[in-house]
Amino acid sequence: MVVLTPVAGLGIGAAAVVFGELTTHSSSEVLFSGQDALPSLIEGAAGWTVGALVLLMICKGVAYSLALSCFRGGPTFPGMFIGAAGGIALSHLPGLPMIAGAAMGIGAMTVVMLGLPLTSVLLATLFLSADGLALTPLVIVAVVVAYVASARLTPPPDATPARAHPSAPPDARGAAAGGR
């Protein structure tokens, strides 16, 4: 662990440098949790191209994965930030307003990271304050779809048959193991 932590730190730094060099945006968008950068991302969404947003999601996702493996921090704000970036990128499609895309992305990514649907809807709604109430139905749909998709993609628990208690009579042990 002592050797791999600096390697993970170098990987996070490399992701930030790649993002900073390939876009006109700061590498700090990748480095920090996103708690302070999320409002400015939403407010300045017009200054972001789809390519820069997708690259931000990739680089932030790599940095986030490495940070979760060995550094301090939680899953909430980086997940919200990545979700907002994805929602803003999708808002470039016809018919999806930017704030609706950001709200849906925040809710969907939060439920995937936390596994708490009600909390995810609440966080997205409260974070977007004035727009949150009007966007709640869209956020609920996004959260439900993301929750069901992540539940379906999660591998099932180990399906090995349960063994009978060792003190059970021989007939019970044989029946529990599938034999006679």
Side-chain angles (χ1 to χ4, degrees):
M1 188 70 173
V2 173
V3 174
L4 293 180
T5 300
V7 172
L10 288 172
I12 293 169
V17 168
V18 165
F19 177 75
E21 289 297 317
L22 294 179
T23 66
T24 60
H25 300 281
S26 172
S27 61
S28 66
E29 303 285 345
V30 173
L31 289 177
F32 302 109
S33 74
Q35 179 177 354
D36 296 329
L38 186 54
S40 63
L41 174 70
I42 293 173
E43 291 168 2
W48 287 83
T49 64
V50 175
L53 288 165
V54 169
L55 186 62
L56 175 63
M57 289 173 43
I58 292 169
C59 291
K60 182 89 171 166
V62 167
Y64 180 36
S65 299
L66 290 171
L68 280 177
S69 69
C70 58
F71 292 106
R72 288 182 18 186
T76 307
F77 283 107
M80 289 174 68
F81 187 86
I82 294 170
I88 294 169
L90 288 176
S91 74
H92 286 83
L93 294 171
L96 182 62
M98 185 281 301
I99 196 68
M104 292 166 56
I106 289 170
M109 190 65 176
T110 304
V111 78
V112 169
M113 291 308 299
L114 298 179
L116 303 169
L118 183 59
T119 302
S120 301
V121 171
L122 184 66
L123 280 173
T125 303
L126 290 176
F127 182 76
L128 296 171
S129 59
D131 296 315
L133 189 59
L135 295 171
T136 301
L138 289 173
V139 173
I140 290 172
V141 170
V143 165
V144 168
V145 169
Y147 183 73
V148 170
S150 68
R152 293 287 295 159
L153 293 174
T154 302
D158 191 15
T160 56
R163 295 184 183 205
H165 192 272
S167 64
D171 293 328
R173 280 195 305 246
R180 296 222 159 202

